[in-house]
Amino acid sequence: MVAVDANGINTERGKGRQRQAILGEHPSSYNDNGYGSHCPLLPLPGNNRYKMSSHDVPDVVAYPLPQTSSYLSHSSSSVAMVSGLHPAKMNCTRIFNLFCLYGNIEKVKFMKSVPGTALVEMGEEYAVDRAITHLNSIKVFGKRLNVCVSKQHAVIPSQVFELEDGTSSYKDFAMTRNNRFTSAGQASKNIIQPPSCVLHFYNVPPCVTQEELQRLCTEHDVPGFIKFKVFDAKPSSKTISGLLEFDTKTHAVEVLTVLNHYQIRIPNGSNPYTLKLCFSTSSHL
């Protein structure tokens, strides 16, 4: 029998969640591109909730621990509560774009009774810890976010309503391909990094120019970048990657929140390219 509280919340869900994050050692090829050194190695648990093939599972993974005492006692819930959200500029997808850098996102729900507040159900409890460590108190669209652990252990799609931008107050992201920690192999490509004024971009078609990326920022009413760098790629590469520097960290956060996972379509192209953004360890270009 599943236990529920007076509000119909499943109180058992989350207790059995795997508490070790799936994070891998970053490829050494990134060391010269502003990513810094490798993280300490810890064993990967064999019963992680995300299924992995025998070819996927490494013997060890890199586990970047934040330099704060909060990690000594991690959160007891895989749900984060986020307040201070701009009512017209933040929605479920934009929350996903920002929080997915720190762990898989299962569901996002805005609270009708508390304007500017949302619940974010993540893949495991350490993901909530990382989100709190790196995103609490940052400014987004002129408002300061407050990120804390929710007492709820799951997000229930109740009281769904329409946000100011016309989108739904609830969205399920469990099956999206844009989650970045669904296997050890995929997670090993991630860098757990606090917000910075430099963004790393990748999965961009080679035909896209600096001017086109700048125009993309203008069209979506977000700050433009002040410096641009493209990494050298193999002649046969189908995509390019590089760095974008902004005037401030807040500008970079807003651009990532809006344009992360933007679909880039090219003439005569069958499928769009999904623009991927993350924070770089570089402080400037």
Side-chain angles (χ1 to χ4, degrees):
M1 179 178 294
V2 178
V4 297
D5 64 13
N7 296 315
I9 302 299
N10 182 346
T11 57
E12 292 300 314
R13 184 174 180 182
K15 292 184 179 179
R17 288 182 181 272
Q18 180 57 50
R19 299 190 175 192
Q20 175 79 17
I22 309 177
L23 292 173
E25 183 179 37
H26 205 284
S28 58
S29 61
Y30 282 80
N31 284 353
D32 296 327
N33 292 332
Y35 282 104
S37 60
H38 294 310
C39 302
L41 300 179
L42 294 178
L44 178 73
N47 62 338
N48 200 284
R49 70 182 292 238
Y50 295 104
K51 296 181 180 179
M52 295 170 281
S53 68
S54 58
H55 300 291
D56 249 347
V57 182
D59 293 328
V60 292
V61 295
Y63 191 81
L65 297 175
Q67 302 300 310
T68 66
S69 59
S70 64
Y71 244 71
L72 299 176
S73 178
H74 68 81
S75 64
S76 58
S77 170
S78 59
V79 178
M81 184 168 69
V82 188
S83 57
L85 297 166
H86 193 289
K89 294 185 177 182
M90 290 298 287
N91 56 33
C92 294
T93 297
R94 290 182 174 183
I95 289 176
F96 173 86
N97 288 345
L98 182 58
F99 278 72
C100 73
L101 273 59
Y102 304 104
N104 287 333
I105 307 299
E106 300 277 336
K107 303 167 187 173
V108 177
K109 183 182 79 169
F110 278 76
M111 301 174 68
K112 191 171 185 178
S113 58
V114 188
T117 301
L119 298 176
V120 182
E121 182 178 345
M122 304 190 75
E124 36 86 26
E125 295 159 2
Y126 279 117
V128 173
D129 284 333
R130 292 192 294 272
I132 293 172
T133 298
H134 297 305
L135 298 180
N136 185 43
S137 294
I138 67 168
K139 292 191 72 174
V140 188
F141 302 123
K143 297 180 71 67
R144 193 170 298 279
L145 298 188
N146 181 274
V147 186
C148 63
V149 181
S150 172
K151 294 181 180 179
Q152 299 189 21
H153 290 281
V155 169
I156 308 299
S158 59
Q159 291 187 309
V160 178
F161 59 98
E162 189 175 282
L163 299 176
E164 286 191 25
D165 67 354
T167 63
S168 175
S169 65
Y170 169 82
K171 192 167 183 178
D172 191 322
F173 293 96
M175 302 304 293
T176 179
R177 292 184 177 183
N178 291 329
N179 268 319
R180 303 182 182 185
F181 298 80
T182 54
S183 71
Q186 185 191 46
S188 68
K189 300 176 182 179
N190 295 310
I191 290 292
I192 304 300
Q193 175 68 17
S196 69
C197 63
V198 178
L199 295 181
H200 170 56
F201 69 87
Y202 57 104
N203 201 47
V204 172
C207 62
V208 172
T209 65
Q210 174 180 347
E211 291 72 24
E212 287 172 322
L213 288 176
Q214 194 73 270
R215 186 164 59 250
L216 188 63
C217 293
T218 302
E219 291 172 349
H220 288 81
D221 196 28
V222 291
F225 49 87
I226 58 174
K227 291 184 181 180
F228 173 86
K229 177 182 179 180
V230 176
F231 298 148
D232 293 333
K234 296 179 180 179
S236 59
S237 178
K238 296 181 179 179
T239 62
I240 58 173
S241 61
L243 299 175
L244 304 173
E245 181 180 344
F246 296 84
D247 268 328
T248 66
K249 178 174 68 176
T250 298
H251 285 177
V253 169
E254 292 175 0
V255 170
L256 183 142
T257 300
V258 174
L259 295 181
N260 198 13
H261 307 122
Y262 177 80
Q263 299 291 292
I264 300 176
R265 298 184 181 276
I266 59 175
N268 303 319
S270 56
N271 296 310
Y273 290 74
T274 301
L275 170 64
K276 299 291 183 71
L277 298 170
C278 63
F279 297 114
S280 170
T281 57
S282 298
S283 58
H284 57 80
L285 300 187

